[in-house]
Every structure is written in structure tokens, then in C-alpha cells.
Amino acid sequence: YIIYTTLHRNPVSTKTLTILFTDLANYTSSIRDKKRKEVRELIQQHEEMVCSTLIDKGGHLVKSIGDSYLFTFTSATDALNSGIDLINNLSTDDQMNIKIGIATGDVEDIDNDYFGDAVNMASRIVSMALPNEIWFSQSTFLSMKVSEVPFELIGLFDLKGFLGKHQLFRA
């Protein structure tokens, strides 16, 4: 009954969005020898940098999950260029290595949280990305303005929970 009333109180809507996940690379090992204050400062610095850059570029912060953030964009090109700006802004900070995973597709908006294949795929992609790199799906590639984003094909990959191999790209 609680689930029924919660789902029917706010209508669920489907949208096609570009999902962008950030993740602090090697977070667990990087904080092992830090004091609590240093960890809090790192998390605060990470949040300020990620949120200010991505929100300024049109991203919508959905939620933070530990050392990761989930953003939505209405434009694949804007998501990729925002990610590039973020990585470039962090290039001088040795402690701040961020990975970004991006996928585009239909998602369900349930009480201002997003669910669907694009969310799951972006999550799988960010887990595979290397520090200070942006990896993205073929759906994002097909949705972006190719002349505005430098990219390269990095290959075919198995993604947990998805059938077959998926072409991934690096911005």
C-alpha cells in the first residue's frame, strides 16, 4: 500500500536525458592515511568543483552517492563539454582525480530521482573509466554534435546487466 500510494501520488514521467556520473578515482585508497579533517576537506572541494562546473553548464544535480554524483543534461553535447571542462579544471590538482561516465536514453523520473537503462549504463561506464577520463556510450555518441566534442572510439565492452557488447568512446 505504501509503495502504491507513493507511486501514484506523483505521476511518473519518462524523459530522454543524458546521464552523467562522476566518481572520485581511487577514493578509498587515497583517504586511507588522511585525517578526518583532510577527508572532509577533500569531499567539500570535490563537491564544490563538480557542482559549480556542471550546474553552471546546464546540469541538474539529482543526487550524491558517496563520492559520486549523478547529473542529468538535456543535451548530450553539453554533458560532454561540461565533463571536459571539469576534467580540465582539475588537471592541476594531484588529489582530485575524477572519472566520468555518460549515457543517453529514456529514464523514468520518480519523485525527482531517475531510473532506467541510461542511468544503469552510465553507472557501469564510470566504473570502467580511467582517472581523469570521460567515457561515454554509443547512444550519447549518436546524440551529440560530433564537430563540437573531441572523441575517440575505445572499443567494445561487456557491461554488467546489458546484453551483448557495447561500443564505448572517450572524450
Side-chain angles (χ1 to χ4, degrees), residues 12-19 72-73 103-109 114-122 137 139-140 143 162:
V12 175
S13 67
T14 301
K15 302 174 184 178
T16 301
L17 294 171
T18 297
I19 305 298
T72 61
F73 285 82
T104 303
D106 284 351
V107 295
E108 297 288 327
D109 177 351
Y114 292 88
F115 302 88
D117 287 347
V119 176
N120 295 334
M121 184 170 282
S137 69
S139 60
T140 302
S143 300
F162 291 91

Side-chain angles (χ1 to χ4, degrees), residues 38-95:
E38 293 173 313
V39 172
R40 285 192 302 273
E41 289 170 352
L42 176 66
I43 294 297
Q44 181 179 356
Q45 179 187 8
H46 173 234
E47 179 179 349
E48 288 171 1
M49 182 64 76
V50 168
C51 292
S52 66
T53 300
L54 298 181
I55 290 170
D56 285 351
K57 301 290 184 176
H60 169 71
L61 175 61
V62 176
K63 62 183 169 182
S64 65
I65 308 161
D67 62 316
S68 298
Y69 289 90
L70 167 59
F71 281 84
T72 61
F73 285 82
T74 57
S75 161
T77 304
D78 290 348
L80 286 159
N81 283 324
S82 297
I84 291 169
D85 287 348
L86 178 58
I87 296 293
N88 288 339
N89 289 342
L90 295 173
S91 64
T92 59
D93 189 338
D94 294 336
Q95 292 185 4

Side-chain angles (χ1 to χ4, degrees), residues 126-160:
V126 76
S127 71
M128 298 168 59
L130 299 175
N132 299 318
E133 290 192 358
I134 301 162
W135 289 23
F136 61 98
S137 69
Q138 185 170 9
S139 60
T140 302
F141 173 77
L142 294 171
S143 300
M144 71 186 215
K145 179 73 172 148
V146 174
S147 64
E148 293 184 29
V149 180
F151 70 92
E152 64 181 341
L153 174 65
I154 53 176
L156 292 170
F157 293 85
D158 288 314
L159 300 175
K160 182 180 173 184

